[in-house]
Amino acid sequence: MAHTGTTTDVLIVGAGPVGLSAAAELRRHGVRCRLVDRLPARLPYAKAVGIQPRTLELWDRMGLIRAVLEAAVPMRGQLTYVNGAEAGRLALELPPDVPYGFAALPQYETERLLEEYVAGLGTSIERGTELVSFVQDPDGVTALLRSASGFTEELRVPYLIGCDGAHSVVRKTLGLSYEGGAFPEAYMLGDVVAESGWDLPEGYALRCEHRTADGSLDDVLVCIPLPGAGRYRMSMKVPPELAEPADAARAGRPPRSASPSDGLAHGLQDGRGPELSHLQAVVDRLAPGPARLSDLRWSSVFRISHRIVGRYGEGRVFVAGDAAHIHPPTGAQGMNTGIQDAANLAWKLALVVRGEAGPALLGSYDAERRPVGEEVVGRTVRHATRGIESDADDLRTLLLREAQLLVGYRGGPLAGAAYGPVEAPQPGDLAPDCGGLDTPVAVYPLRLLDVLRDRPGHIAVLCGADATGLARAVAAARAAAGDRLPLAVVALLPREADPDVVPALGAPAYRDAAGEFARIYLPDGATGFVVRPDGQLAARFPLGATTAALTDCLTALSVPLRDPVVA
């Protein structure tokens, strides 16, 4: 057995979209990490296909967005048919100031793009390498890794993140509870081409239901568009001959495969997958028009559980994604929620690893993300059993929530005091995007996302009409942060400001030429904002209180350590 000392800062177990996102964010913040996965290669399965607007915003800040936009297809809405008749049409229309819409991208493509991005930052996936066990102590984590060849390595790391799915070794080793239940029905999935006469609007999903006389659902077909002419990810109830063990037992048939060793059935199942004829039979039965299926890339039986951990970590070890929460795929919330887990945890780990914040900061990961996980699990179960119409929210609010643009941490341990109008974005909220910014040089309008892009630390956006006061606030912000907190400072002038004052401000400066920032952020006079690395607002304050506000931000991050956590 090889013994490896502390040569990396974080060990990430699991190289799906969540583990890759954690690695991407950590590397972007200058943190060394190793990324291991027990699988020998990336799986060619279109499991998670929905990409939420919030995820696209995170990828924009990373500089990954162009590659994603070139690979994805738009998700513009859904048509619903009940017993052969059109019963509803939902348009996925968001407010015009939201920069990205809903998209569809097969999981294997999402993983490819993230893998290439992470490799560009100097980290590659160690394939065929599994975590056998680990122990932790106050100073670090000792992990035992085993390669496909049987070679074992004992690795010493300061921190470990388990992104290893529903059957997470990390979660089980920590002894975390994983409470919830399971749906009795099994489903089947297929990635297939449909040559059809459906005449669906471009970018629309299709949901076809059959309901009995009493209104109960007894048959369903869901088709999600994928890149490629006529290609869909289809899901439907499984036929009896492909039923999972529990279904087989109820029917008096022998099971086709054993249940997972941990008793948890969630996601793709081992055993015989559906053939093209199985999918074709359901399409013939439920689709609104004739369609011939072909080019089946892959298929599987799929089971659904809904569970969440009692806490998102313990000591120096954390869980994220399916290792922390699983739920129905309704609304494409799972992978996107996991990616946000990774983004939330990574910047905090980076500050602690670099000695710029204390370890107490890491407790805010569970405090902020577990309530989000609970809400997502509850909502997706409700939508899966009672339909999306069971929500009392108006359509705009419902879509913003599905887009994950309403995720916030108001009242959390890192949210500063509220300031300004009640209806304005406040600490803990997502920092919304806006357009119409300009500079003295650029002759085209910019978005706030353009300003935030490729700045991995906290960003202070200071806006005011008085150039002298604004320059004073810029200097105060930099002095308050000092060398303790990575802080970029951006000055923002109102649209009526003279662009010639920009060079005197001592910071990158933009003008709110279209007035969109003022309309969306509702500054109360000269106002400052601090945007966290994950795109949430950390603080909102009058410019005269810049020093006090930045000091409060530092306090919330815990007293910085002068000695780094790792050698």
Side-chain angles (χ1 to χ4, degrees):
M1 181 195 308
H3 297 270
T4 306
T6 305
T7 59
T8 193
D9 301 314
V10 182
L11 172 64
I12 303 169
V13 181
V18 178
L20 284 162
S21 295
E25 285 294 281
L26 286 169
R27 295 297 293 128
R28 211 163 67 90
H29 288 276
V31 174
R32 301 171 299 174
C33 61
R34 285 180 64 177
L35 178 59
V36 301
D37 195 289
R38 64 180 180 82
L39 296 175
R42 185 170 59 246
L43 294 176
Y45 303 150
K47 294 186 291 182
V49 299
I51 308 295
Q52 302 296 354
R54 176 67 182 119
T55 299
L56 294 174
E57 289 189 14
L58 286 171
W59 287 343
D60 188 313
R61 291 199 68 180
M62 289 167 51
L64 180 63
I65 190 63
R66 184 176 66 183
V68 172
L69 295 180
E70 290 173 353
V73 294
M75 277 290 296
R76 295 196 171 99
Q78 176 177 287
L79 286 177
T80 300
Y81 284 79
V82 177
N83 297 351
E86 185 174 338
R89 181 178 297 229
L90 174 66
L92 299 177
E93 295 178 351
L94 295 168
D97 48 271
V98 175
Y100 298 111
F102 298 86
L105 187 66
Q107 183 169 326
Y108 53 81
E109 279 293 281
T110 297
E111 292 179 1
R112 178 184 66 83
L113 294 173
L114 283 168
E115 186 175 342
E116 291 174 356
Y117 179 87
V118 170
L121 296 175
T123 295
S124 299
I125 301 172
E126 299 176 43
R127 295 282 185 190
T129 302
E130 65 175 320
L131 174 71
V132 177
S133 63
F134 68 86
V135 293
Q136 64 171 315
D137 54 59
D139 299 317
V141 182
T142 302
L144 181 64
L145 303 176
R146 182 171 57 215
S147 70
S149 65
F151 176 79
T152 58
E153 174 189 2
E154 187 178 83
L155 175 67
R156 181 72 174 170
V157 290
Y159 294 98
L160 186 153
I161 307 175
C163 306
D164 48 343
H167 306 288
S168 169
V169 171
V170 175
R171 184 189 67 244
K172 294 172 190 174
T173 303
L174 284 178
L176 301 178
S177 64
Y178 204 39
E179 299 299 327
F183 283 24
E185 304 91 351
Y187 294 84
M188 57 184 180
L189 300 177
D191 179 346
V192 67
V193 168
E195 300 173 21
S196 71
W198 297 341
D199 193 27
L200 293 182
E202 183 181 356
Y204 269 67
L206 177 67
R207 180 181 177 89
C208 302
E209 302 176 351
H210 184 272
R211 294 188 175 270
T212 60
D214 65 0
S216 59
L217 178 70
D218 67 352
D219 210 355
V220 64
L221 165 69
V222 178
C223 306
I224 306 296
L226 297 176
R231 184 160 291 279
Y232 290 88
R233 201 282 310 271
M234 294 187 175
S235 59
M236 56 206 76
K237 289 190 175 182
V238 74
E241 64 268 26
L242 297 178
E244 287 297 297
D247 303 312
R250 281 194 292 270
R253 300 187 306 275
R256 65 181 178 86
S257 62
S259 297
S261 59
D262 57 7
L264 173 64
H266 184 81
L268 305 185
Q269 303 295 295
D270 293 332
R272 180 188 173 197
E275 299 172 1
L276 195 63
S277 59
H278 294 113
L279 307 181
Q280 184 71 64
V282 179
V283 168
D284 292 344
R285 195 165 63 236
L286 293 179
R292 186 177 68 84
L293 304 187
S294 63
D295 194 16
L296 179 63
R297 284 183 177 168
W298 70 273
S299 65
S300 178
V301 170
F302 186 89
R303 295 198 70 93
I304 299 171
S305 292
H306 47 94
R307 295 177 181 268
I308 187 165
V309 289
R311 58 189 182 279
Y312 274 34
E314 183 175 292
R316 292 173 172 267
V317 183
F318 307 90
V319 290
D322 284 358
H325 46 78
I326 53 174
H327 37 77
T330 317
Q333 300 295 293
M335 179 187 71
N336 294 273
T337 300
I339 289 172
Q340 288 192 50
D341 292 342
N344 183 286
L345 177 59
W347 70 264
K348 297 171 182 178
L349 269 174
L351 287 181
V352 174
V353 164
R354 296 196 306 254
E356 294 160 347
L361 172 63
L362 301 177
S364 67
Y365 171 57
D366 178 82
E368 291 186 336
R369 293 304 300 170
R370 190 172 186 280
V372 174
E374 289 179 325
E375 190 278 330
V376 170
V377 171
R379 173 160 47 93
T380 53
V381 169
R382 185 172 67 251
H383 287 177
T385 54
R386 304 206 304 264
I388 196 170
E389 62 274 9
S390 62
D391 270 338
D393 290 322
D394 61 273
L395 181 59
R396 178 183 183 276
T397 300
L398 187 150
L399 290 179
L400 286 172
R401 182 170 288 112
E402 292 292 299
Q404 301 195 342
L405 295 172
L406 298 184
V407 172
Y409 312 125
R410 283 197 193 191
L414 303 184
Y419 170 71
V422 173
E423 65 274 21
Q426 295 291 346
D429 294 346
L430 172 68
D433 188 38
C434 66
L437 306 181
D438 71 9
T439 73
V441 176
V443 296
Y444 56 88
L446 301 171
R447 302 194 68 87
L448 185 59
L449 275 174
D450 297 323
V451 176
L452 302 180
R453 187 179 300 118
D454 296 328
R455 301 181 193 267
H458 284 71
I459 304 171
V461 180
L462 310 178
C463 61
D466 174 54
T468 301
L470 195 52
R472 190 180 302 119
V474 167
R478 287 182 170 150
D483 60 357
R484 298 179 298 170
L485 176 69
L487 180 73
V489 182
V490 173
L492 191 60
L493 297 156
R495 58 181 162 185
E496 63 272 12
D498 181 355
D500 291 337
V501 306
V502 168
L505 296 176
Y510 298 83
R511 195 168 59 109
D512 185 18
E516 287 191 25
F517 184 91
R519 176 179 60 82
I520 294 172
Y521 279 80
L522 300 174
D524 190 8
T527 305
F529 304 83
V530 175
V531 182
R532 298 178 359 171
D534 58 0
Q536 306 291 136
L537 277 178
R540 177 187 174 112
F541 51 90
L543 283 196
T546 295
T547 299
L550 265 294
T551 299
D552 288 345
C553 276
L554 288 170
T555 301
L557 298 177
S558 76
V559 178
L561 300 178
R562 289 307 178 188
D563 296 321
V565 172
V566 295

